[in-house]
Amino acid sequence: MRELADNEILSLTNLLKMEKDTLAVSKVTKTLITDDDLKKQAEAGILAAEGRIKGIQQFINENQIAHTKGVE
């Protein structure tokens, strides 16, 4: 795969942060839901968000986008 441009990495980072924030809000909101059908839909949304996050993380790992450095 070609190396990503800085703006593409920034977009990917923002997408991952947005998904993470949405997941956190969804989990908190689910605790407030009393309707069983609505709670099931919220749980499905949470699972979908977790899947998207894992997919983005897998893409980052497989394409070695995140360059980690040791302490210097």
Side-chain angles (χ1 to χ4, degrees):
M1 186 182 138
R2 70 173 174 79
E3 190 164 329
L4 295 179
D6 289 342
N7 63 335
E8 293 172 319
I9 293 173
L10 185 59
S11 293
L12 191 59
T13 302
N14 286 333
L15 178 63
L16 186 57
K17 183 182 181 319
M18 181 186 67
E19 288 289 355
K20 179 190 68 84
D21 292 346
T22 301
L23 178 61
V25 170
S26 297
K27 285 183 176 182
V28 170
T29 303
K30 185 187 122 192
T31 63
L32 304 173
I33 298 172
T34 55
D35 182 71
D36 288 337
D37 291 334
L38 190 55
K39 189 170 271 209
K40 287 178 185 177
Q41 287 184 343
E43 290 169 354
I46 289 170
L47 290 174
E50 290 172 342
R52 287 190 300 270
I53 290 170
K54 287 178 184 175
I56 295 168
Q57 290 172 331
Q58 182 178 356
F59 177 81
I60 289 169
N61 290 332
E62 286 178 357
N63 294 289
Q64 300 172 344
I65 294 170
H67 302 286
T68 57
K69 295 182 180 180
V71 177
E72 296 178 5

